[in-house]
Structures are given as structure tokens and as C-alpha cells.
Amino acid sequence: MLEMTNVNLFINEKKLLENINLKINAGEVHVLMGKNGVGKSSIASSIMGNPNYKVEGSIKYDGQEITNLNIYERAKLGIYLLNQTPMQIEGVTNAEMLRIALSEKTGEAINILKFNKELESICTSLELDKSFIHREINVGASGGERKKVELLHMWMLKPSFIILDEIDSGLDVDALKIVAKSLKEYHEKYHPAILIITHSDTLINTFDNYFVHVLNDHQIVANGSKELAKEVLTKGFKRTSDTFVISEN
């Protein structure tokens, strides 16, 4: 579904990442781990098409080269990025945005009754007050509410590739359980590919199977399964020569 081949990433002519190779098939869950500031969010931004980044190499989605597509075009293909700190947008309600986005995606008129019923049902499952449907996007919302609103958008837009950039950051225990449950249910129902950027195992352990990639020294230095994630979380990161090892400190 997504394939990054020999990708070098720059911002203001400064090279952030080099020779990134990553392949994520439909329905798979992949986890990207690494120290703060190592470039995990930059990979997410490059996939989504952030214009502040210059990309050398190839990024393909469903076999289509997307490096020259803008964010809007990539979103229409089904790529969805959920940020650590979702932005607020004044003057536009969640319902208004979703109606327009769905019309653009499907090319069809929206059945308002069905649309409202689905919104209310999702709010209930997320334990999100239904007033958010007609509230401005994330305006006056807490950190946990913003993450739930982003999940509301996800369920309505039904993306096929989801990037979760530290969505678990700042969530309390109860909110994290709701978010994790919602993501697992979405994955079981629609089978999207998911890329999770995280520093903890709380969210990723929601899924039975996943692939792990460790980012260090501007590149991916290790690939593995959940066992690799466990090692990293208990022992930390260290790069020696061309071999990724686990720090004993």
C-alpha cells in the first residue's frame, strides 16, 4: 500500500533523513520508534506531503507515485494523519468540514439524516459529547477531546492508510483506553494500514501483530517484531557501527 524507496528528506537544505526504505502492506500495523528529535514526525510529514519538506527518492501509494501530489490530493487517496497536537480551526464546525470532505471524496450529495445519525453514534462510542458535532474544530477542546475529535473524523472519512503521530501523548488512562479500543475496532472493520509513532507500548499492544522499525542516526537501523519494541522500551537506543544494539544503560 505504501512504499518509501531510498528517500532522503530535507528542510531548508538541511538533510534530516537518508536512505529511508519502508514498505507497509494493506491491513498491516507498523510501529516507528526512536529518540526525541530523530525525525519520526518528519517521516509522517513526508508521507502526508508537508510542503516544508523536500523529498528525494520515491514514495508510492497503491503503486502510484505521490511525491508530486499535494496534501489535499493525498488525503483524497485515503491517507490520514492524526497529529500529537491537532490544530484548532475557528469558524468551521466539525459537521461542516466533514460534509464538504465527504462530498469531495465521494462526488455525491450527503444524506443529512444518515450523516447526523452516524456522527452521533460515533460520539457515543468515543464518549465524546455530541455538542462537538456542531462546534468549531478543536476550539476550546482539551487534549483528550481533540484526539477523540480526530477519531470522529477518521470514522467518518474512512481512510485506508492511517498515521498516528504520538496520539497517546498526554492522554489520561481512561481516554487512552477509549482511543485504543476505537482504533482496534476501526482496524478490524476496515482493515486499513496503520503507522504508529510512539514511545510506549500501551497503544501498540492493542494490536495482536505489528512490525517495528527503529529510527536512529538519520535512518532506519533496525526492523523487527513486537520483541524489538519490548527491548527498546526496556533498554533504550544505541547505534554501534552498522549494527543496532540495545543500550545496557
Side-chain angles (χ1 to χ4, degrees):
M1 175 161 283
L2 179 90
E3 188 167 9
M4 303 179 73
T5 305
N6 300 326
V7 169
N8 298 321
L9 195 61
F10 301 82
I11 190 166
N12 297 326
E13 304 304 320
K14 177 183 178 182
K15 182 181 283 189
L16 300 177
L17 298 168
E18 60 182 349
N19 198 34
I20 299 297
N21 291 280
L22 181 64
K23 185 176 182 179
I24 303 176
N25 294 316
E28 291 180 346
V29 177
H30 287 241
V31 179
L32 184 62
M33 308 183 78
K35 295 182 288 188
N36 288 329
V38 78
K40 302 183 299 297
S41 293
S42 296
I43 288 181
S45 295
S46 70
I47 295 171
M48 199 68 243
N50 187 323
N52 293 319
Y53 292 86
K54 176 186 175 183
V55 175
E56 290 182 350
S58 172
I59 303 178
K60 290 184 177 179
Y61 185 73
D62 276 350
Q64 176 183 350
E65 185 66 48
I66 64 171
T67 48
N68 293 322
L69 300 184
N70 60 35
I71 294 174
Y72 167 76
E73 292 168 321
R74 298 186 198 203
K76 283 193 71 175
L77 291 176
I79 303 175
Y80 184 80
L81 171 62
L82 203 162
N83 289 301
Q84 179 178 1
T85 309
M87 69 171 64
Q88 66 178 33
I89 304 175
E90 297 181 358
V92 181
T93 69
N94 289 292
E96 289 169 338
M97 182 278 290
L98 288 168
R99 279 200 302 269
I100 294 171
L102 285 170
S103 294
E104 287 291 318
K105 180 180 179 179
T106 65
E108 300 175 356
I110 301 301
N111 182 316
I112 297 300
L113 290 178
K114 182 180 178 181
F115 173 80
N116 288 334
K117 185 176 180 180
E118 187 173 3
L119 278 173
E120 291 179 357
S121 175
I122 296 168
C123 284
T124 298
S125 68
L126 291 171
E127 297 185 23
L128 181 68
D129 194 285
K130 293 176 184 178
S131 66
F132 277 91
I133 293 173
H134 300 292
R135 284 173 56 174
E136 297 171 306
I137 299 173
N138 292 324
V139 174
S142 68
E145 288 170 337
R146 291 188 183 205
K147 304 291 177 64
K148 290 181 180 181
V149 167
E150 293 292 292
L151 290 177
L152 172 66
H153 297 171
M154 178 193 74
W155 276 97
M156 292 298 295
L157 296 172
K158 299 176 178 57
S160 51
F161 182 79
I162 301 167
I163 307 168
L164 305 172
D165 189 0
E166 297 191 38
I167 182 179
D168 46 352
S169 175
L171 292 179
D172 61 38
V173 174
D174 290 336
L176 182 54
K177 286 181 180 178
I178 293 169
V179 167
K181 179 176 179 288
S182 182
L183 286 168
K184 185 174 184 179
E185 289 175 350
Y186 186 89
H187 187 256
E188 290 174 345
K189 184 171 183 177
Y190 296 110
H191 310 292
I194 301 178
L195 176 61
I196 303 174
I197 298 172
T198 187
H199 289 291
S200 74
D201 61 357
T202 305
L203 180 59
I204 59 179
N205 283 341
T206 302
F207 301 95
D208 296 326
N209 297 294
Y210 52 86
F211 301 89
V212 178
H213 313 279
V214 178
L215 190 64
N216 201 23
D217 292 345
H218 310 291
Q219 56 191 299
I220 293 174
V221 296
N223 301 284
S225 64
K226 60 175 64 178
E227 295 304 317
L228 176 58
K230 291 178 182 177
E231 288 187 272
V232 169
L233 290 168
T234 56
K235 298 182 179 180
F237 303 92
K238 189 177 181 180
R239 176 83 187 275
T240 300
S241 184
D242 292 326
T243 304
F244 178 83
V245 299
I246 303 301
S247 171
E248 298 298 335
N249 297 326

